[in-house]
Amino acid sequence: SLPNPRIRKAGEAVDPEHKALSLFLPVKMELDMLTNVLQTGDQEVIQKALLEFNKEYAQCFFFNQEERERRKKIGELLIDFLGRDLQPSCQLVSLEAVRILSRDKHALAPFASRESMGVLARLAGIEYAEERGPRDASDCEVVSEALKCLCNTVYNSEAAQVVAGEMRLIHGLVERLKVDTGGRASGRDTRFYELRLMFLLTALLVDVRRQLARDLHGVTLLTDTLEAALDLRWLDVYEVSTVRDGPPLRRDETDRIMEVLKILFNITFDTSKRQVDEEDAALYRHLAAILRHCLLTDSDGRERTQEFHGHTVNLLVNLPLMCLDVLLTPKVDPGSVEYMGMNMDTVETLLDFMDNRLDRGLKLRESLTPVLNLLTESSRYHRETRKFLRARVLPPLRDVKNRPEVGETLRNKLVRLMTHVNTDVKHCAAEFLFVLCKEN
């Protein structure tokens, strides 16, 4: 199993309209009446009925058990209806209804079959056949809704996950990324849900994760996607132009970038544990340079920036240690943090990030151990990083009256962690301080 981050907690919807206020699905509209309308096959009448249904149940995320069989029947009829040659407006309203119904993990059978997944994949433009690649899909709204339906279904149904693997949906998604790396043709909303579906497939299916990493050259493809999403300008081989006080990333930009980071995390999970050749090392150094830029870039608001940097740190932990030297290679500019002639902007940012997580004190195993491990291993591998961190974390001791765990300095906070109830947190803190002391 993969550590944080992976997928949302059980019961949470992938649907973007998920609100804190969730209502039970009441029987406001006679489901039998909707069933009868769907059986008529009249596009105009069906579209009108579905518009009413979608408006009425847009915010419903919990469902009455008594109506489950009726909802399944409606799901079957909707999939049959979507298999016909429909107008885009009729496809859209039908897919919106499927999205609402696919929130109920106990009534997903109509959407989890190979035939149903094939219909949704075709409308999403990711139905894949080796001789032709993915199908073209023109209407962005229809594509986005179909992708949302697939996300809900794959997330909530193990049967759908198996079918998605057999249908090679990951190949269709990869082809979509290849032909439109920057997502300009797909549209922002569509690109986000393509990436979200790819994340779910790699998080939930080990075979798909391996296919993307090895057979489909996923690291290269997603690094290119990340670079395009950030619209980077390169100053040197491994140096990106970064404006520390530049405008923050928009919310939608951050959302897409974080999905890419999460997918890369899934497919590089075992990278740091194995040897890499010269070609792979160059690829991971290139990625590390981009991640350096991410750490020095803000999003829209403190919380979003923390989340964005958290996913960046998680991915950096997966990269080979030998490739993290690029975090220190950019030349020292006015305003940079310098130590021993090296640019320490990234290490300083990681230290601030760790201090912030320590102050929060919530879920330390998930939120703190990745950055602690990253700083520990970087210090072990790079002498300049270790000496800089020792100067910041363990400066010459002046206060000898108080116990080392008493106080609010970074040293005090880390020493307190050495008696933390969570074994992982305790060991990570102790190991970090031990390495800063040259393991003596």
Side-chain angles (χ1 to χ4, degrees), residues 336-375:
S336 297
V337 180
E338 180 184 359
Y339 189 81
M340 297 176 67
M342 307 292 287
N343 187 318
M344 290 290 170
D345 285 348
T346 309
V347 182
E348 176 87 348
T349 301
L350 288 170
L351 202 58
D352 291 341
F353 177 83
M354 181 180 71
D355 200 11
N356 183 277
R357 292 292 171 97
L358 279 167
D359 288 339
R360 289 185 176 192
L362 298 173
K363 297 182 179 179
L364 288 181
R365 183 179 180 277
E366 293 82 3
S367 64
L368 184 64
T369 54
V371 67
L372 261 177
N373 283 329
L374 177 61
L375 290 174

Side-chain angles (χ1 to χ4, degrees), residues 14-15 79 98-105 107-113 116-117 120 145-164 169 197 200-201 204:
V14 177
D15 195 299
I79 290 295
V98 171
R99 171 166 55 83
I100 291 169
L101 294 172
S102 65
R103 296 166 180 166
D104 181 8
K105 61 182 179 182
L108 283 173
F111 312 126
S113 68
S116 300
M117 295 277 285
L120 294 174
E145 278 301 319
L147 287 166
K148 292 175 192 177
C149 295
L150 285 168
C151 285
N152 280 356
T153 305
V154 167
Y155 177 66
N156 285 315
S157 168
E158 290 186 10
Q161 293 162 22
V162 173
V163 171
L169 293 188
L197 181 57
L200 288 171
L201 291 172
L204 295 166

Side-chain angles (χ1 to χ4, degrees), residues 70-80 101 110-111:
R70 289 186 177 87
R71 292 197 303 276
K72 286 183 179 179
K73 180 62 176 177
I74 291 172
E76 292 170 1
L77 293 170
L78 281 170
I79 290 295
D80 289 341
L101 294 172
F111 312 126

Side-chain angles (χ1 to χ4, degrees), residues 10 199 273 318 395:
F199 164 66
K273 300 177 180 63
N318 286 358

Side-chain angles (χ1 to χ4, degrees), residues 76-355:
E76 292 170 1
L77 293 170
L78 281 170
I79 290 295
D80 289 341
F81 186 58
L82 283 166
R84 294 168 49 185
D85 185 18
L86 305 176
Q87 293 294 323
S89 59
C90 202
Q91 288 176 332
L92 183 61
V93 74
S94 301
L95 287 167
E96 287 172 349
V98 171
R99 171 166 55 83
I100 291 169
L101 294 172
S102 65
R103 296 166 180 166
D104 181 8
K105 61 182 179 182
H106 299 294
L108 283 173
F111 312 126
S113 68
R114 190 178 184 92
E115 294 74 17
S116 300
M117 295 277 285
V119 170
L120 294 174
R122 175 176 56 80
L123 293 171
I126 59 171
E127 183 185 38
Y128 186 81
E130 196 162 346
E131 65 275 8
R132 67 166 188 272
R135 288 176 178 266
D136 292 330
S138 54
D139 191 284
C140 284
E141 285 188 299
V142 169
V143 171
S144 292
E145 278 301 319
L147 287 166
K148 292 175 192 177
C149 295
L150 285 168
C151 285
N152 280 356
T153 305
V154 167
Y155 177 66
N156 285 315
S157 168
E158 290 186 10
Q161 293 162 22
V162 173
V163 171
E166 293 173 350
M167 291 177 63
R168 304 175 76 187
L169 293 188
I170 194 67
H171 288 71
L173 288 165
V174 163
E175 290 302 316
R176 293 275 293 184
L177 285 185
K178 282 182 179 178
V179 299
D180 184 22
T181 305
R184 293 173 180 82
S186 298
R188 294 173 182 172
D189 200 40
T190 301
R191 175 45 47 91
F192 172 78
Y193 287 106
E194 288 170 349
L195 293 169
R196 169 55 60 87
L197 181 57
M198 184 177 284
F199 164 66
L200 288 171
L201 291 172
T202 55
L204 295 166
L205 297 167
V206 175
D207 288 344
V208 169
R209 196 183 311 151
R210 290 171 179 161
Q211 283 177 25
L212 181 57
R214 300 173 188 176
D215 303 337
L216 301 174
H217 309 290
V219 176
T220 301
L221 175 65
L222 288 157
T223 300
D224 291 344
T225 304
L226 184 60
E227 185 175 338
L230 289 161
D231 195 20
L232 299 183
R233 182 168 67 88
W234 292 89
L235 300 178
D236 206 340
V237 179
Y238 296 127
E239 184 178 359
V240 177
S241 174
T242 301
V243 181
R244 293 298 299 268
D245 57 352
L249 294 169
R250 298 192 313 269
R251 176 169 287 267
D252 63 298
E253 290 175 327
T254 309
D255 285 341
R256 292 194 300 276
I257 291 166
M258 287 196 299
E259 291 303 311
V260 179
L261 294 174
K262 286 153 61 179
I263 301 165
L264 279 166
F265 172 85
N266 286 346
I267 65 175
T268 59
F269 184 59
D270 64 344
T271 300
S272 62
K273 300 177 180 63
R274 57 185 174 85
Q275 294 292 323
V276 292
D277 58 25
E278 189 174 331
E279 184 178 349
D280 284 342
L283 171 61
Y284 289 123
R285 281 194 168 92
H286 183 73
L287 176 55
I290 298 174
L291 297 179
R292 179 184 187 276
H293 175 82
C294 289
L295 283 175
L296 301 179
T297 302
D298 290 336
S299 182
D300 60 332
R302 182 178 175 82
E303 289 298 318
R304 296 284 290 174
T305 299
Q306 280 286 308
E307 184 182 4
F308 172 39
H309 288 174
H311 289 302
T312 305
V313 168
N314 288 332
L315 179 53
L316 276 168
V317 172
N318 286 358
L319 301 191
L321 288 172
M322 60 179 289
C323 301
L324 297 184
D325 56 353
V326 300
L327 299 180
L328 310 178
T329 53
K331 61 182 179 294
V332 178
D333 293 319
S336 297
V337 180
E338 180 184 359
Y339 189 81
M340 297 176 67
M342 307 292 287
N343 187 318
M344 290 290 170
D345 285 348
T346 309
V347 182
E348 176 87 348
T349 301
L350 288 170
L351 202 58
D352 291 341
F353 177 83
M354 181 180 71
D355 200 11

